[in-house]
Amino acid sequence: MLFYSFFKSLVNQEVTVELKNDMSIKGTIQSVDQFLNIKLDKVQVQDTARYPHVMTLKNCFIRGSTVRYVHLNPKDVDVQLMQDATRREASATATRK
């Protein structure tokens, strides 16, 4: 649930999503669900020569299982908050065992 919570905090932020088929799509996160499916708005394909058919898209739905990387702007990531959340989840997991 840590990644789900993290990506929910990135709604309305601009990211680049690299897919497993080597396509990179830049856009604004509209929503994220528990399967890490991502809805992007204001979509731009990074390699328009290779994927000209995707240039007309304005928004898209990306299935979480097709995502290789999500490139974030470093200023959008609260490192201290991530470290605290990781510690809480690790201690909760250790307590359950």
Side-chain angles (χ1 to χ4, degrees):
M1 295 306 288
L2 180 65
F3 286 109
Y4 172 63
S5 300
F6 175 68
F7 282 110
K8 287 293 278 187
S9 72
L10 291 176
V11 171
N12 296 323
Q13 301 296 325
E14 192 170 277
V15 297
T16 301
V17 179
E18 185 178 330
L19 305 179
K20 289 180 181 177
N21 67 356
D22 294 328
M23 181 187 293
S24 291
I25 302 173
K26 186 176 186 176
T28 304
I29 295 180
Q30 188 176 12
S31 67
V32 178
D33 66 11
Q34 69 271 19
F35 302 107
L36 299 180
N37 298 323
I38 302 171
K39 286 184 185 179
L40 290 179
D41 201 19
K42 302 173 190 163
V43 173
Q44 299 173 345
V45 176
Q46 300 299 75
D47 189 2
T48 56
R50 192 167 166 196
Y51 304 104
H53 54 284
V54 187
M55 286 177 36
T56 60
L57 288 179
K58 300 292 182 224
N59 54 27
C60 68
F61 174 86
I62 301 172
R63 186 176 170 146
S65 63
T66 65
V67 174
R68 181 181 294 157
Y69 299 114
V70 178
H71 301 276
L72 309 169
N73 191 340
K75 70 178 178 72
D76 294 336
V77 179
D78 186 354
V79 177
Q80 187 63 40
L81 183 64
M82 278 294 282
Q83 290 174 346
D84 293 341
T86 305
R87 283 188 202 101
R88 279 193 304 273
E89 188 165 309
S91 67
T93 304
T95 306
R96 281 185 249 147
K97 289 184 178 181

